[in-house]
Amino acid sequence: MTSSSYTPEVKGQGLRATVQRLGGYLAAMVMPNIGAFIAWGLITALFIPTGWIPNKTLAELVGPMISILLPVLIGYTGGRLVHGQRGAVVGAVATMGLVVGADVPMILGAMIIGPLTAYVLKLFDGLIENKIRPGFEMLVDNFSAGIIGAAMAIGGVYGIGPVVEWLTKQAGSGVDWLVGKDMLPLTSVLVEPAKVLFLNNAINHGVFGPLGIAEAADKGKSILFMIESNPGPGLGLLLAFMVFGPRALRPSAPAAIIVQFLGGIHEIYFPYVLMKPKLILAMIAGGAAGVGTFVITGAGLVATPSPGSIFAYLAVTPKGGHFGVILGVVIAAAVTFAVASALLGFGRGEPAADAVGPDEETAVRPDEERVVDPDETLNKSAKQEV
């Protein structure tokens, strides 16, 4: 897989470097498609029944975009990273095998099958290189891509798709067990990593949503609506990136904060975590602190905050319950910011903006020539003669 501007080269060996490379590859598949995620998020925020301007016709865009468009884009980008345009085409074809019949968004599956299919095609192209008779190159190229793409799409339907769906259900079962044991803050250990792998909607709407609805119908509110959707951890992470993150990424953090905290599009911060996987510890700490605060203050919502923006939170908070809700969001953001800042080394590893000093600015590079004042040369010669 080739590197990109989204995946700075990771040097060294070992588990840490391997995890960083994996996170970089995942981010490289997602970051070029952030615009599509934002488009989907805006449509969701505006037009779903609980959105700002509900519109039944336009709300029909939400399902196909998250179930088909986004996984196919991810599979396409993953394939292109491995084997160029031919890899992108077979990656998109194979991803459709995952999408068909799946009950959950197959974004994680697309991250697997897109690069894998492109890699298979890359191996095949290597085997037949310089072995095709002149005039048959296009025929072989097109049919090999078609056959491999179709085979991997079928494999996605019967192989990778069910495995990814099983993993999703297992994650949901684990969270359900923690809920049953009254260990709600510990749910963040499973929820936060699952969110970063784009399983947030599956967990929120597939697990916490139904449980929360049942509890809210009985008690008038439910804390389960806030376990996955708390915008605090994402805010804390992006603030840490804005202050102490890699210098090249700091300017992007303020816009991401607006999209995430005010717009409720949590997917915007997932690539930041994938770039530096150790930051998942900050997300877990912030998420657990927020849930713990909700438990202590007895906070709860009357419905799912959809999307998970601070405005949606305040809109579905029962009368008199805003203190606990706001406090949980603030504490989650503060804890995440503190832990993430420490994991980022408080920016100490980043070169200063003014690292290029006056001496370096005036230094002559090997490929440059210094222009010498003729008068200066004459004066120097005269001094030597004296």
Side-chain angles (χ1 to χ4, degrees):
M1 190 175 282
T2 59
S3 61
S4 73
S5 57
Y6 302 103
T7 58
E9 183 180 358
V10 177
K11 298 180 179 179
Q13 302 296 326
L15 178 61
R16 180 181 178 184
T18 301
V19 172
Q20 286 179 333
R21 286 193 185 91
L22 177 61
Y25 294 150
L26 296 177
M29 284 186 260
V30 176
M31 289 298 287
N33 299 304
I34 284 295
F37 279 92
I38 293 176
W40 168 77
L42 291 175
I43 291 173
T44 302
L46 291 174
F47 303 124
I48 61 175
T50 56
W52 297 102
I53 45 175
N55 185 304
K56 185 177 180 181
T57 300
L58 296 178
E60 292 180 357
L61 288 168
V62 174
M65 287 183 74
I66 188 65
S67 300
I68 301 175
L69 175 64
L70 295 180
V72 170
L73 282 175
I74 296 292
Y76 180 92
T77 307
R80 182 167 55 82
L81 287 171
V82 174
H83 196 40
Q85 183 60 30
R86 279 168 57 73
V89 172
V90 296
V93 172
T95 303
M96 282 304 298
L98 296 179
V99 171
V100 173
D103 295 328
V104 297
M106 279 290 169
I107 292 176
L108 177 60
M111 290 180 174
I112 298 172
I113 201 168
L116 177 61
T117 306
Y119 183 68
V120 173
L121 181 62
K122 186 177 182 179
L123 291 178
F124 177 82
D125 287 349
L127 290 174
I128 65 170
E129 188 176 7
N130 299 324
K131 296 179 182 178
I132 306 300
R133 290 186 176 182
F136 288 88
E137 293 91 344
M138 184 176 291
L139 180 67
V140 173
D141 285 351
N142 288 338
F143 270 87
S144 61
I147 293 171
I148 290 174
M152 292 299 290
I154 295 172
V157 174
Y158 295 108
I160 295 177
V163 170
V164 173
E165 197 162 356
W166 180 82
L167 289 174
T168 303
K169 291 180 179 178
Q170 292 305 308
S173 299
V175 171
D176 199 13
W177 181 82
L178 289 173
V179 172
K181 297 295 182 182
D182 293 328
M183 296 187 292
L184 280 180
L186 291 182
T187 56
S188 297
V189 176
L190 292 175
V191 170
E192 297 302 330
K195 285 169 63 178
V196 174
L197 294 175
F198 293 93
L199 298 175
N200 52 321
N201 286 318
I203 291 176
N204 190 30
H205 299 297
V207 178
F208 292 125
L211 295 174
I213 291 171
E215 188 174 46
D218 182 40
K219 301 179 181 178
K221 62 181 180 181
S222 175
I223 191 176
L224 300 179
F225 290 131
M226 300 187 290
I227 293 177
E228 185 278 334
S229 59
N230 188 349
L235 173 64
L237 176 88
L238 293 171
L239 286 173
F241 258 90
M242 186 175 71
V243 180
F244 300 119
R247 192 167 294 281
L249 293 177
R250 292 180 189 179
S252 67
I257 289 174
I258 294 174
V259 173
Q260 189 269 339
F261 192 68
L262 303 182
I265 312 304
H266 292 203
E267 283 83 354
I268 194 75
Y269 77 77
F270 297 165
Y272 289 85
V273 182
L274 294 174
M275 288 178 203
K276 294 185 178 294
K278 62 183 178 183
L279 293 177
I280 195 63
L281 297 176
M283 305 308 299
I284 293 173
V291 174
T293 304
F294 294 145
V295 172
I296 293 172
T297 58
L301 302 180
V302 298
T304 300
S306 178
S309 73
I310 188 63
F311 297 127
Y313 253 61
L314 298 179
V316 293
T317 300
K319 187 177 181 180
H322 286 84
F323 173 76
V325 171
I326 295 174
L327 184 63
V329 173
V330 171
I331 287 181
V335 171
T336 304
F337 174 77
V339 178
S341 298
L343 293 174
L344 289 171
F346 296 102
R348 287 194 294 266
E350 292 298 312
D354 55 351
V356 180
D359 293 338
E360 292 182 61
E361 290 178 350
T362 57
V364 179
R365 295 181 176 83
D367 57 348
E368 293 179 338
E369 294 183 357
R370 183 187 292 276
V371 178
V372 180
D373 187 345
D375 294 336
E376 181 181 346
T377 306
L378 292 175
N379 293 335
K380 187 176 182 180
S381 300
K383 291 179 180 177
Q384 289 176 346
E385 289 176 4
V386 173

